[in-house]
Amino acid sequence: MRDTRESRLLLVLLVAIAFALITVDIRGGEDSPLDGARHAAASVFGPVEDGVASAVDPVGNAVAAVRESGDRHDRVRRLEEENTKLKQRLGNNARDRARSAELDKLLKTAGAGQYGIKGAQVIGIGAAQGFSWTVTIDMGSGDGIRRDMTVINGDGLVGRVTTVGSSTATVLLAIDPDFTVGTRMEGSGELGFATGRGDRSLHVQLLNGKARIKKGDRMVTFGSQADKPFVPGVPVGKVVGVDPTGGDLTRTLRVRPYVRFSKLDIVGVVVQPPRANPRDSVLPPKPAKPKPTPTVTVTANPSATATSPAANRS
């Protein structure tokens, strides 16, 4: 439309009419003369508005869903991270408690034998210097560790130090085939030599072929001259089998070691031997024998079951 004098007059007229209709509609309230026209317009334009709303609302809902999905993803991720941290914390606590218990047991064993020890942790396993059954500990010459020192844990004899570095040392385990230690039987004092056999029981050769040995008998280290490489009184193991003598001068025993070599963690290197031989005092207490259950025998009284003369007369 061209901007002419007539078009401007028409625009002013339309605006004036619009204001007049609005005024009439407001003053009329519910009885407004324009109410019918409003309903007619609603019936015409309503479906159009619904269609537009239907087209727009999914988009809005999708945007909201994406926003909420992102929020939920963040919350799930945070919960997963917190859960992982909690599991790690619980795992560390359990591991710390296990190590604390192991260290406490080691200190009790060292105290019972009056061994001066330095605690160490196993940091490596496997072949070293040609040995088959060895572990590496995190202490060396800088910590006062020397070759041919006895190594123990809370259960008993672990092995002996064979190679020493500045901050680490290699321990030959008691189950190694090249390992030999002098032993002494609990109580009887019978002497022998224990030799490792890998993951099988130790072989102990008793010097007395006529010694009376039974399953369950226990033994400790006999000790070495100048307490190297072995201090006396360290628990070695328990007899699980006795081979027949066959007239030999010696007798062979199969002994299960006290130490569980597959689970070594905290160990103690004996840097100071005991002043006196502890003999059997380091061995764990024997389990108490179950008390026999008393047997109660009930015997029937013949006089109580017999028929009395008075009962016969009646």
Side-chain angles (χ1 to χ4, degrees):
M1 180 181 292
R2 296 177 59 187
D3 186 14
T4 60
R5 185 169 178 272
E6 290 80 4
S7 62
R8 286 198 296 270
L9 289 175
L10 179 59
L11 178 60
V12 172
L13 179 60
L14 291 174
V15 171
I17 294 172
F19 275 109
L21 292 174
I22 292 173
T23 303
V24 172
D25 186 41
I26 293 175
R27 290 182 177 178
E30 295 181 357
D31 298 329
S32 172
L34 300 178
D35 188 55
R38 187 185 300 111
H39 284 294
S43 61
V44 173
F45 294 106
V48 178
E49 291 177 353
D50 289 340
V52 173
S54 299
V56 174
D57 284 347
V59 177
N61 293 337
V63 173
V66 170
R67 287 203 192 101
E68 291 178 1
S69 176
D71 293 340
R72 284 196 298 268
H73 178 73
D74 292 340
R75 287 197 298 270
V76 170
R77 181 175 52 80
R78 286 196 298 270
L79 289 174
E80 289 177 348
E81 291 176 353
E82 292 174 1
N83 192 30
T84 301
K85 291 179 181 178
L86 179 60
K87 287 182 178 179
Q88 291 176 348
R89 193 157 56 246
L90 291 175
N92 291 335
N93 290 339
R95 187 162 54 251
D96 291 343
R97 285 195 298 269
R99 286 183 173 178
S100 178
E102 195 171 348
L103 179 59
D104 184 61
K105 193 175 182 180
L106 170 62
L107 294 176
K108 288 181 179 179
T109 299
Q114 297 299 303
Y115 308 126
I117 65 169
K118 286 195 174 183
Q121 183 177 350
V122 174
I123 58 174
I125 59 174
Q129 290 80 37
F131 297 127
S132 300
W133 297 87
T134 59
V135 295
T136 303
I137 59 175
D138 63 349
M139 300 191 77
S141 58
D143 306 291
I145 307 301
R146 300 290 182 266
R147 179 182 168 88
D148 285 338
M149 285 184 168
T150 309
V151 182
I152 65 174
N153 71 357
D155 296 316
L157 180 66
V158 172
R160 62 181 175 88
V161 177
T162 56
T163 306
V164 182
S166 59
S167 58
T168 62
T170 301
V171 178
L172 179 66
L173 301 180
I175 55 176
D176 188 272
D178 290 335
F179 187 95
T180 301
V181 59
T183 61
R184 185 176 56 78
M185 298 299 301
E186 177 187 15
S188 68
E190 294 286 353
L191 301 182
F193 294 94
T195 304
R197 296 196 307 160
D199 56 356
R200 295 178 292 174
S201 57
L202 303 175
H203 256 182
V204 176
Q205 202 79 20
L206 287 184
L207 300 182
N208 181 7
K210 297 181 180 180
R212 294 184 177 181
I213 305 296
K214 64 183 183 300
K215 291 183 179 180
D217 286 349
R218 308 185 297 178
M219 63 186 61
V220 298
T221 55
F222 176 72
S224 306
Q225 185 176 7
D227 299 307
K228 287 188 176 183
F230 302 109
V231 295
V234 180
V236 175
K238 182 184 298 185
V239 176
V240 294
V242 181
D243 293 346
T245 58
D248 295 335
L249 297 177
T250 61
R251 195 167 195 183
T252 303
L253 312 177
R254 296 190 305 277
V255 175
R256 181 173 61 237
Y258 284 117
V259 174
R260 301 180 67 180
F261 293 93
S262 62
K263 294 188 176 183
L264 286 176
D265 187 10
I266 304 297
V267 298
V269 181
V270 181
V271 295
Q272 183 176 351
R275 294 181 179 179
N277 190 334
R279 299 191 68 82
D280 302 332
S281 62
V282 189
L283 285 167
K286 289 184 176 180
K289 294 182 178 180
K291 295 182 179 180
T293 304
T295 304
V296 179
T297 304
V298 179
T299 305
N301 188 355
S303 60
T305 59
T307 306
S308 64
N312 291 335
R313 287 195 300 270
S314 61

